[in-house]
Amino acid sequence: MTSCTLKKEERSEHYCESHSSMKIATFKVFRGDINGGAEVEYKVPVEEGMVVLDAIHYVQKNISPDLAVRWNCKAAKCGSCSAEVNGKPRLMCKSRLDDFDLSKEIRVYPMKSFPVIKDLACDVSWNFEVNKKIAPFTPKPDTDWKMSQRDIDRVQEFRKCIECFACQNVCHVIREHDLKPKFAGPRFFVRVAGLEMHPLDTADRLEALKDDMGIGFCNITKCCTEVCPEDIHITDNAIIPLKERVVDRFYDPLKMFFRKIWGK
Amino acid sequence: MSTLDRFEIHEHDVLVIGAGGAGLRAAIEASASGASVGLVCKSLLGKAHTVMAEGGVAAAVANVDKQDNWQTHYKDTIKGGKFLNNWRMAQLHAQESPERVLELERWGALFDRTQDGKILQRPFGGHSYKRLCHVGDRTGLEMIRTLQDRGVHLGINVYMECTITKLLKDDGKISGAFGYWRENGRFVIFKAKSIILATGGVGKAYKVTSNSWEYTADGQVLAYHAGAEFLDTEFIQFHPTGMIWPPGVIGILVTEAVRGEGGILTNREGFRFMQKYDPERMELSTRDVVARAIYTENKEGRGTPHGGAFLDISHKGADYIKKKLPSMYHQFKELADVDITTGPMEVGPTCHYSMGGLRVDAETTSTSVPGLFACGEVAAGLHGANRLGGNSLSDLLVFGRRAGVHAAEYSKKNSTLRKINEQDLQQAEKEMTRFFENEGENPYMVHQDLQELMHNYVGIFRTEDDLKYAIENLKKLKDRAKTVKIDGSRMYNPGWHMAYDLQSMILYSEAIAKCAIQRKESRGAHSRIDYPNTDPECGKWNSIVKKSSDGEMIVEKMQLTEMPQDLKKLFEEKELIKK
Ligand SMILES: Cc1cc2nc3c(=O)[nH]c(=O)nc-3n(C[C@H](O)[C@H](O)[C@H](O)COP(=O)(O)OP(=O)(O)OC[C@H]3O[C@@H](n4cnc5c(N)ncnc54)[C@H](O)[C@@H]3O)c2cc1C
Ligand code: SF4
Ligand code: SF4
Ligand code: FES
């Protein structure tokens, strides 16, 4: 494959030809829908720098045009291409083939915690429903909108979230216990943290965190943090501080007393 | 039973097609004015192109450079667009973008800050002052998330993973839209009093592109068939800096913010070649100039090993780079094994943005079809022959809002839902199901050939012969695309989706090539090897494309409206003559 934008006849050969080794990788991809399915094996020629999503696209183009997969940016920016590669939730566009042992098969499955639609696409609509219930940004009435970078650094960390839902997928409260209606999941604790710690926000989401979003179900296993492709410290920076706020509010009698006197 | 009863039907005052920055901003505005709004998008909510925008949004808020004002932004936009812009759009854009950006902040967006706590701005190519409000290099994410959250709380109905394939009219006016659900392939009808198209661009017609699978000119072509006109389709922006190595990442964007933050371009001999092409602005020249410079360096044998140029920002230091360009740092580290804090990137031009698109009215964004509006990248006029970086995100906000206002107003005035024509429905259905009866080839093969053709013959540099060759071959591709064969069911079937997308991409590609032939000069992003100079005569008209009553594509020239005196005065005499 050649890379540059010159026309073929304009290129000096020396510069543009790559030497693609004809290595072959074996993929086992889940093909099926809500009624079941099976692994299908695909052999894909390996190119330098190739990622799992490239391999899936190769299959789509050359073998099975009806293979369902989501993607948009191919650069780890949109969070569309999450899947379980060899059992681990990852962005396919960020999973380099050189990180795998190509003498073994690479298994690609849809995220397990959400109902499969077809092949690698699953139904993540529940997440969008959760988001709707979070009280929106509510600024102070007479602010001059000045904020220091230092004060927003930590909030900007939360706002890096690309909604890949890998954290939702891996969290055992959702994955094993399927407490979906009662538990909002790490993605939305990150979102709430971004609002609660916004220097100019005034809304109060603590009661909702405790009751509707079930933050108490989280037992700080940190599995979510481990899979976040944006390296957001979900547990340490978002969940634990939120949990502390909830505890202070609802379970600490002394603080409750002072709060009554001083307000929020 | 009438045909209509077989379908799932939704009704709205305003239907917005496209949920990027433009569509979301439009939906918010229409909804805030009391209209019932439906918002349709091909991907999940929040995954549109807008999410990928990196460098920033241009608005003369003058937080960093106090001298900046709308007049200067206006001038920069017009000069960048080589005087082909719609002057009124450029004026509204420059005047209204500061307010639109501040509004985002009031809705919760968190831009990077200046020392005194205001929105920070960075320099960008073609902008006279530090003008781009930004969040590191993930400005689009901040913008789309802010709009998305604002939108869902207003109660907009969002129809995700739904693709519109036909606009429906009754008595010459918009009456609705026809589409399919990706999930199960079922058809759906939206009845609407007005429709806003915010479907983005066309980059997927090119081989090397920063654009996603969504960019297949759907909106442009939907409107074309409904009777709207294209404007200036020959102007396709090649962003000078895309990744060029390894093969899997070719085309992925390297934000202009790298140059905005001080990145230096060199050729294989270590020479800072922009000295030759634009000694004054150097790396911060406009995109057309930098893209051509890199191309020329390669053609003359001074390219880098993989056919591009070196772009180096490492002199800024690791901490600074990781803070201001975090996603570029990760992108190169993870996808190319390059540490940009210690060494250069290799970059080359990539198809990025379409300046052309639907012709709209500057004030209202309405197309020539009553009830049909368009905003964002799908619309044309603001950017002329070349868009300045950062001017797209501001475009989405300014004209997204305007589209929302005027579509809602139109729906109020035309307050009954119009009829859906049964014949149109049958035809729309047939257009989609016929592929399953075909015996032709795999649609991906046709797509690959289209991309090669456009890349090689309607790319950065053009000639009459190449363009004629392209038009001939587009005809063949059109025939092949009609007969592509689809396997499997209608359930989440990308091959089937591609079969439809191909029809739009090929039609729009034809418009690009035909306008490129008509424009016998070089201007902005349109470079003709056989007509290397800018011809003042050609600066007096825009290209127009429309469908004749017998279905043929008509290409014409339309007289540019004269800029009023008070705006003309902003330019120096010699600038006006040079155009
Ligand atoms: C990598 C990258 C970086 C960029 N960086 C910048 C930057 O820093 N600054 C800047 O100003 N600009 C930048 N741009 C350009 C800018 O991001 C885009 O021009 C802009 O986001 C387009 O917005 P939009 O709302 O018009 O369309 P999009 O955001 O692309 O949204 C289009 C929407 O239409 C929907 N759609 C399309 N067809 C159909 C259909 N048939 N049926 C239903 N829905 C449909 C899609 O699903 C999507 O929701 C960048 C572009 C890219 C690719
Ligand atoms: S830390 Fe909490 S939210 Fe994260 S995976 Fe563990 S239980 Fe789930
Ligand atoms: S917090 Fe991280 S893992 Fe979770 S959705 Fe956001 S980006 Fe993905
Ligand atoms: S395609 Fe966007 S994150 Fe992978």
Side-chain angles (χ1 to χ4, degrees), chain A residues 3 5 7 10 15 61 65 70-72 74 77-78 94 96 118 132 134 147 149 156 159 163, chain B residues 47 112-113 142 153 161 212-213 248 268 295 305-306 331 334 337 442 448 456 466 491 495:
Chain A
S3 58
T5 32
K7 277 191 225 166
E10 290 172 344
Y15 286 117
K61 188 164 159 186
R70 286 197 183 101
W71 70 281
N72 283 285
K74 226 179 147 300
K77 291 194 174 70
C78 72
K94 211 179 151 181
R96 291 270 298 261
K118 191 181 141 199
K132 280 187 197 162
I134 297 172
M147 290 172 260
Q149 186 62 46
Q156 284 187 326
R159 297 189 65 91
E163 299 205 320
Chain B
K47 312 294 185 194
D112 288 354
R113 317 308 293 182
E142 188 68 18
H153 287 291
E161 298 205 301
S212 82
W213 68 272
R268 150 173 151 240
Y295 186 99
H306 299 108
Q331 190 170 305
E334 281 150 22
D337 301 319
N442 167 354
Q448 182 176 321
N456 287 330
D466 278 4
M491 207 174 144

Side-chain angles (χ1 to χ4, degrees), chain B residues 17-22 40-43 48-50 52-56 162-164 198-200 210-211 214-215 218 253 352-353 376-377 387 390-393 396:
Chain B
I17 306 175
V40 192
C41 52
K42 291 206 280 195
S43 290
H49 252 80
T50 303
M52 301 169 214
E54 295 163 354
C162 181
T163 302
I164 299 298
T199 51
S210 66
N211 292 177
E214 293 201 315
Y215 267 25
D218 296 12
L253 193 75
H352 185 57
Y353 185 88
E377 191 169 338
R387 173 179 73 92
N391 268 1
S392 170
L393 293 186
L396 312 183

